[in-house]
């Protein structure tokens, strides 16, 4: 491990590989965050401060400085600063850094879950490790789960390490102590964290959360929140404040706090909107004129080939390999960019294929293989395609399990909105798209009008609410989230059918010109104003809320390239 001068937050020693760090959940906290949390949690010069999982003392050092400042420059007493850290070299480094900063304190190397909680600290500050359940196993997990169980919190198999950390950490506090932690934003979203949310609301009297519009950990794609918990519980709700970035912590808007009670689903997006918008959203979602997409039909994944380059073929490739038609299946080419309009027609598919898109899937008819198919299979084996995981696990490896032809195609990774498109060309789809299989009673209506009816502001707000922000500012819908997408109900679409049909040419033109705003306005007038009787003000609230969530997602996309 590297020795010599090293300041907090500086590059981690080379010997501590990325992988090892990930396994321990070692991401060090930027100083703006740790200073802010410490300034809030440490209140008097005699406070005792604990940083569990202290890494290289990102919180201990500002805590020591804060104590000194509160004491008018007098030195900190040795037992006022305590760190615990699993990784011995980091613990040693933390000691060196403390000494280098002229601070007394102790850092013990060990597993935090092995320490009994004395309930004697005024402040517990830090950034627990976020080790995902796949790596958080064995004895470490058993110990952590036992600690949580002592509080009646039964964590599921899916819980990451931060969850029991929060629970055990709170045990170290005096009754009026303050806990200030950096936690993954999944505290507010994932199901398994519901237990932790309940625990926090029970244990503490006041709980505040600071959310960020931008990702604040340099080089780390984890979306984090700051937890500030104090007093004895129960607390009636969380209070949430959203700020732009770490620098904004220096001037917090004290008026900006919103009350927030996570719903059963645990989505945190509503916490970002004001109450008027959330109330209106909930009210409209419950109206009969709105139904979840699932009421129209099931959404499911497309076919997984295991190797799209090999299995999907352009017209030219088909001609070159001499594959007969019976060894091919027509598909919507990989990707989703080509799905811009309301309907994917036969003509559009032919144009795409002429322009070089891979509109065919290699799907050889059985026994015997045609000569061209046998050659192509041999080519695949020579290139090792059959060794790819998805190919290896099926027999024969070259038969992609086909999915039925869906009625509608649905994009699920988008910048602006998920797009529903009628599959008029009756193409199969790969897993770059979802397929929607409409119920028999509404099939005709859905194929005809649902893609149009779904281009309304409320459904677009719904997409932001049920989906999740992904790297690059994209909005991702999982199939089960797509099921919940609020769309106009079959009854409403039926009632508006004549007007929707009349809109088709104008709508198609607006979409061709990439003018989504114009398209939405047209549909809003029919669906929201006439169909549902919403006022101009209601529609403004819905559009404002959608714009806000969209802008938030898009801003954070600027800096990151992966999942957040
Ligand atoms: C997210 S880092 C945070 C480090 C530091 N608190 C900071 O904010 O810069 C998490 C740290 O927890 C340590 N860690 C992981 N599991 C631990 C455990 N069971 N007990 C104590 N420390 C642990 C890791 O080695 C890593 O240094």
């Amino acid at each position: 491990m590297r020795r010599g001068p090293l300041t907090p937050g500086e590059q981690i020693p080379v010997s501590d590989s990325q992988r090892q760090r990930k396994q321990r959940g070692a991401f060090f906290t930027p100083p703006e965050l740790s200073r802010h949390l410490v300034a809030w949690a440490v209140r008097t010069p005699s406070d005792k401060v604990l940083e569990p999982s202290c890494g290289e003392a990102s919180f201990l050092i500002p805590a020591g400085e804060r104590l000194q400042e509160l004491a008018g420059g007098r030195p900190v007493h040795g037992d006022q600063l305590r760190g615990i850290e699993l990784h011995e070299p980091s613990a040693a480094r933390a000691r060196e850094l403390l000494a280098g900063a002229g601070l007394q304190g102790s850092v013990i190397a060990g597993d935090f879950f092995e320490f009994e909680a004395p309930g004697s600290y005024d402040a517990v500050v830090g950034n627990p490790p976020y080790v995902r359940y796949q790596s958080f196993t064995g004895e470490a997990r058993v110990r952590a789960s036992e600690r949580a169980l002592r509080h009646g919190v039964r964590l599921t198999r899916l819980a990451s390490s931060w969850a029991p950390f929060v629970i055990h950490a709170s045990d170290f506090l005096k009754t009026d102590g303050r806990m200030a932690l950096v936690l993954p934003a999944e505290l507010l979203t994932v199901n398994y964290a519901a237990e932790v949310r309940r625990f926090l609301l029970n244990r503490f009297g006041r709980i505040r959360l600071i959310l960020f519009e931008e990702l604040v950990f340099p080089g780390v794609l984890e979306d984090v929140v700051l937890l500030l918990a104090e007093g004895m519980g129960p607390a009636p709700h969380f209070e949430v404040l959203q700020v732009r970035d770490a620098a904004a912590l220096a001037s917090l808007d004290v008026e900006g706090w919103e009350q927030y009670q996570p719903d059963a689903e645990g989505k945190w997006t509503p916490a970002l909107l004001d109450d008027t918008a959330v109330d209106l959203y909930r009210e409209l979602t419950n109206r009969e004129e709105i139904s979840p997409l699932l009421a129209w039909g099931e959404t499911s994944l497309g076919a997984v080939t295991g190797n799209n380059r090999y299995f999907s073929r352009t017209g030219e490739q088909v001609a070159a390999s001499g594959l007969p038609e019976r060894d091919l299946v027509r598909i919507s080419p990989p990707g989703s960019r080509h799905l811009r309009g309301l309907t994917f027609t036969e003509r559009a598919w032919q144009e795409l294929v002429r322009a070089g898109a891979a509109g065919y899937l290699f799907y050889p008819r059985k026994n015997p293989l045609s000569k061209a198919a046998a050659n192509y299979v041999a080519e695949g084996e020579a290139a090792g395609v059959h060794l790819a995981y998805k190919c290896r696990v099926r027999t024969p490896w070259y038969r992609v399990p086909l999915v039925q032809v869906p009625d509608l195609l649905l994009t699920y990774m988008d910048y602006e909105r998920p797009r529903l498109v009628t599959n008029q060309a009756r193409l199969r789809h790969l897993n770059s798209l979802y397929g929607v299989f409409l119920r028999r009673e509404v099939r005709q209506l859905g194929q005809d009008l649902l893609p149009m009816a779904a281009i309304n502001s409320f459904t677009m707000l719904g997409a932001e609410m049920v989906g999740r922000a992904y790297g690059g500012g994209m909005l991702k819908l999982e199939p089960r989230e797509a099921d919940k997408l609020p769309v106009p109900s079959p009854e409403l679409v039926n009632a508006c059918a004549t007007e929707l049909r009349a809109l088709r040419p104008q709508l198609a033109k607006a979409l061709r010109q990439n003018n989504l705003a114009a398209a939405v306005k047209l549909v809003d007038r029919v669906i929201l104003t006439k169909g549902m009787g919403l006022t101009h003000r209601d529609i403004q609230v819905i559009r404002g809320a959608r714009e806000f969530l969209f802008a938030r997602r898009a801003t954070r996309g600027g800096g990151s390239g992966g999942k957040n």
Side-chain angles (χ1 to χ4, degrees), residues 256-306:
W257 292 93
E258 300 272 347
Q259 292 180 3
Y260 172 56
Q261 188 76 52
D263 56 25
E265 298 276 298
K267 281 274 174 209
W268 58 284
T269 326
L272 303 174
L273 297 178
D274 65 35
D275 291 348
T276 324
V278 176
D279 291 348
L280 182 61
Y281 178 77
R282 294 211 167 121
E283 188 220 312
L284 295 180
T285 315
N286 287 326
R287 294 245 303 243
E288 276 178 4
E289 296 107 317
I290 294 293
S291 49
L293 183 58
L294 186 61
W296 284 87
E298 300 264 352
T299 296
S300 63
L301 292 165
V304 178
T305 65

Side-chain angles (χ1 to χ4, degrees), residues 24-25 27-29 51 53 55 58-59 85-86 110-112 127-129:
R24 292 185 289 122
F27 298 107
F28 297 129
T29 308
E51 181 179 3
S53 75
S58 303
F59 286 80
E85 168 57 51
L86 184 65
D111 177 356
F112 175 54
N127 176 1

Side-chain angles (χ1 to χ4, degrees), residues 129-402:
Y130 316 154
V131 184
R132 300 254 163 251
Y133 73 97
Q134 299 93 330
S135 314
F136 181 42
T137 51
E139 273 183 40
R141 190 185 185 92
V142 172
R143 269 196 296 275
S145 306
E146 277 171 10
R147 293 288 181 189
L149 254 185
R150 284 191 203 177
H151 286 275
V153 178
R154 189 177 296 278
L155 292 167
T156 73
R157 201 177 54 77
L158 297 176
S160 293
S161 61
W162 65 265
F165 238 88
V166 171
I167 295 165
H168 190 42
S170 66
D171 258 358
F172 285 73
L173 281 177
K174 290 179 180 165
T175 46
D176 61 346
R178 287 186 163 185
M179 185 159 86
L181 301 176
V182 180
L183 294 176
E186 67 182 29
L187 163 68
L188 292 162
T189 54
V190 293
N191 281 342
Y192 76 73
E195 289 290 324
V196 182
R197 296 192 289 265
R198 248 192 304 272
F199 167 80
L200 288 170
L201 287 168
N202 245 328
R203 161 66 179 80
F204 292 99
R206 183 168 193 198
I207 306 165
R208 279 176 285 175
L209 297 166
I210 299 178
L211 278 54
F212 297 95
E213 278 169 34
E214 290 177 4
L215 295 172
V216 289
F217 267 60
V220 178
L221 300 171
E222 190 74 49
D223 197 357
V224 300
V225 298
L226 305 186
L227 168 79
L228 301 100
E230 61 184 312
M232 288 306 283
H237 46 242
F238 289 102
E239 291 166 60
V240 173
L241 179 68
Q242 183 176 228
V243 301
R244 187 175 173 78
D245 53 18
L249 292 172
S251 51
L252 288 186
D253 171 12
V254 285
E255 304 284 297
W257 292 93
E258 300 272 347
Q259 292 180 3
Y260 172 56
Q261 188 76 52
D263 56 25
E265 298 276 298
K267 281 274 174 209
W268 58 284
T269 326
L272 303 174
L273 297 178
D274 65 35
D275 291 348
T276 324
V278 176
D279 291 348
L280 182 61
Y281 178 77
R282 294 211 167 121
E283 188 220 312
L284 295 180
T285 315
N286 287 326
R287 294 245 303 243
E288 276 178 4
E289 296 107 317
I290 294 293
S291 49
L293 183 58
L294 186 61
W296 284 87
E298 300 264 352
T299 296
S300 63
L301 292 165
V304 178
T305 65
N307 184 334
N308 279 352
R309 268 167 81 93
Y310 175 80
F311 286 101
S312 69
R313 308 270 73 201
T314 65
E316 212 169 285
Q317 289 167 332
V318 165
S321 55
L323 285 170
E325 214 167 285
R326 70 181 191 104
D327 289 336
L328 298 163
V329 164
R330 294 170 357 137
I331 53 169
S332 171
S336 65
R337 280 166 173 273
H338 52 285
L339 295 176
R340 294 271 150 216
L342 298 166
T343 309
F344 195 5
T345 60
E346 177 66 30
R347 213 175 96 199
W349 179 79
Q350 283 177 3
E351 269 171 26
L352 274 173
V353 171
R354 259 201 302 282
Y360 299 95
L361 181 78
F362 175 55
Y363 188 75
R365 288 297 135 94
K366 287 185 200 144
N367 305 326
L369 283 183
S370 67
K371 191 157 177 292
N375 286 342
Y376 195 55
V377 166
E379 212 178 286
E381 283 170 3
V385 177
H386 61 305
L387 302 176
Y389 174 69
K390 291 286 173 192
C391 302
R392 239 187 312 134
V393 296
R394 64 188 179 221
T395 317
W397 67 266
Y398 49 80
R399 281 187 84 75
V400 173
L402 285 188

Side-chain angles (χ1 to χ4, degrees), residues 281 284-285 287-297 408 410 418 420 436 438 449-456 458-460 462-463 466 477 482-493 527-528 532:
Y281 178 77
L284 295 180
T285 315
R287 294 245 303 243
E288 276 178 4
E289 296 107 317
I290 294 293
S291 49
L293 183 58
L294 186 61
W296 284 87
L408 306 175
L410 174 65
L420 263 177
V436 181
L438 294 168
L449 297 175
L450 185 55
M452 279 204 268
I455 307 180
N456 70 76
F458 184 67
T459 297
M460 280 169 56
V466 301
L477 287 185
D483 283 347
K484 292 183 198 146
L485 184 71
V487 292
S489 67
E491 294 73 25
L492 177 60
V493 172
I527 294 286
L528 303 185
M532 294 180 70

